Amino acid sequence: MTPIERQILLNQIAILEALIPLGSNGPHGTQEILRKRYRETAELVRQEGSR
């Protein structure tokens, strides 16, 4: 992963952190969808950091 790609993912995480509180609740609500995307993106960044 290039430094630019990593920065894009970090920016995405920051945006998701800001949007999660604004989403709708429930098992199929936007909060859960945003949390899932947050976890997936954070995992990508973690994996790359451990290489």
Side-chain angles (χ1 to χ4, degrees):
M1 176 182 308
T2 67
I4 292 173
E5 291 170 326
R6 186 174 192 282
Q7 188 59 54
I8 290 169
L9 290 176
L10 292 173
N11 291 348
Q12 180 177 336
I13 288 170
I15 292 167
L16 290 168
E17 286 176 345
L19 290 176
I20 288 171
L22 303 175
S24 61
N25 292 323
H28 301 291
T30 54
Q31 279 187 346
E32 188 53 40
I33 294 167
L34 293 169
R35 279 190 194 103
K36 181 177 183 229
R37 182 68 62 205
Y38 176 92
R39 289 188 296 268
E40 291 169 351
T41 304
E43 182 59 29
L44 283 174
V45 172
R46 271 190 231 104
Q47 286 175 0
E48 230 9 78
S50 65
R51 291 183 183 184

